[in-house]
Amino acid sequence: MGEHYFSAAPSSPEQLRRIRIALDGRDVEITTARGVFSPERIDKGTEVLLANTPDAPAGGDFLDLGCGWGSIALTMAMQAPHARVWALDVNERALDLVRRNAADLGLDNVHAVTADEIPDDVVFRTIRSNPPIRIGKPALHELLETWIPRLDRHSDGYFVVQRNLGSDSLHRWMDQTFIDGFSSRRHATAKGFRVLKVRHHGDPPTGPIPTS
C-alpha cells in the first residue's frame, strides 16, 4: 500500500514549497510539502468549510481536527488572537509545517500536537474539521467519538464532507450517536460538499439548532 497523508511519519522526500493563498482575507505565503494533505493549495472542501462557518469565538480553546499543514487552524488563530488553537494530526510532517507557518505569520497561539499532547481537561469552544474520510468508517467514527464529546457547553463543531464520500450517511450516524445534550444538522451545501454542524447544548440547553 502506498503512503497516505495520514501516515504518522511520511517516508517520501519532504520537498518543501512555498505557496501564496488567502486566509481570513489576508494574502499570505505559507510552506507545504509532499506527504501531507493537499500540498498544492487549500483543498475545495476546506474552502467550503471556511466560506460557510462564522468567525471563531473571541477566546477559549479551539480544535482543528486533522489539521494538515494548517489552513483551518491558522485561520482561527487570525480571527481570535486571544484563543488557544490546537492543531491536531497524526502526521508529524504536517505538524512541523503548522509550526513553521504559525511562526511565519506571527501566530503564537497555535499548538500543533498529536492527540496525547492535549490535556484531558481541555474542552473546546469550537471544533472545525475537514476530517480524514479515507481512513475508513470505523477509524473515522472512533475519531469523532473521541473529540466531539469534548465540545464545551453551548458550543458548535463544523465538519465538511464530500457528498459522494458519505456526508449524508455520516450525518445520520452523528444523529444516532451524539444524542445526550447534542444535536446535528446540515449547515451548508456547496461545490459537492456538506458542512455538518454539531451543537453541545449544555445545561440549561440552548435549544435546537435553527434550520434557517
Side-chain angles (χ1 to χ4, degrees):
M1 181 177 293
E3 181 176 82
H4 296 289
Y5 62 83
F6 46 84
S7 299
S11 58
S12 59
E14 190 173 44
Q15 294 186 0
L16 294 175
R17 68 195 76 179
R18 298 284 283 175
I19 62 173
R20 296 203 68 84
I21 58 171
L23 287 180
D24 194 37
R26 288 173 52 183
D27 184 30
V28 299
E29 191 172 84
I30 59 93
T31 301
T32 70
R34 289 185 63 189
V36 302
F37 179 62
S38 192
E40 303 287 346
R41 63 188 66 85
I42 298 179
D43 66 284
K44 188 179 294 185
T46 298
E47 285 183 343
V48 169
L49 180 74
L50 294 173
N52 289 279
T53 47
D55 283 356
D61 287 281
F62 307 161
L63 177 64
D64 175 0
L65 180 59
C67 61
W69 51 259
S71 54
I72 297 171
L74 298 172
T75 297
M76 292 194 293
M78 290 176 177
Q79 294 172 348
H82 300 295
R84 183 167 56 169
V85 180
W86 299 91
L88 173 61
D89 210 296
V90 300
N91 186 324
E92 290 289 353
R93 184 175 296 174
L95 296 177
D96 178 65
L97 292 170
V98 175
R99 296 180 190 113
R100 289 172 184 258
N101 291 324
D104 287 347
L105 297 174
L107 301 171
D108 60 4
N109 58 334
V110 176
H111 302 266
V113 295
T114 54
D116 58 352
E117 295 177 282
I118 300 180
D120 291 340
D121 59 350
V122 170
V123 293
F124 303 104
R125 288 285 290 117
T126 190
I127 299 174
R128 312 281 169 99
S129 178
N130 184 351
I133 296 296
R134 296 187 186 278
I135 63 176
K137 279 188 179 181
L140 176 66
H141 290 175
E142 181 180 1
L143 186 71
L144 297 178
E145 286 180 286
T146 297
W147 297 103
I148 287 177
R150 291 179 64 171
L151 270 173
D152 201 358
R153 294 180 303 165
H154 310 158
S155 299
D156 300 316
Y158 297 88
F159 304 84
V160 66
V161 183
Q162 196 168 353
R163 279 184 291 181
N164 65 9
L165 291 181
S167 62
D168 292 343
S169 64
L170 182 64
H171 185 193
R172 289 191 293 271
W173 175 82
M174 286 178 167
D175 272 342
Q176 296 164 3
T177 303
F178 304 107
I179 55 177
D180 186 11
F182 290 81
S183 64
S184 61
R185 76 169 179 92
R186 186 188 305 166
H187 176 72
T189 299
K191 300 180 181 179
F193 290 83
R194 309 275 202 215
V195 178
L196 306 178
K197 179 178 180 178
V198 179
R199 172 171 292 175
H200 184 188
H201 295 282
D203 184 18
T206 56
I209 301 176
T211 57
S212 61

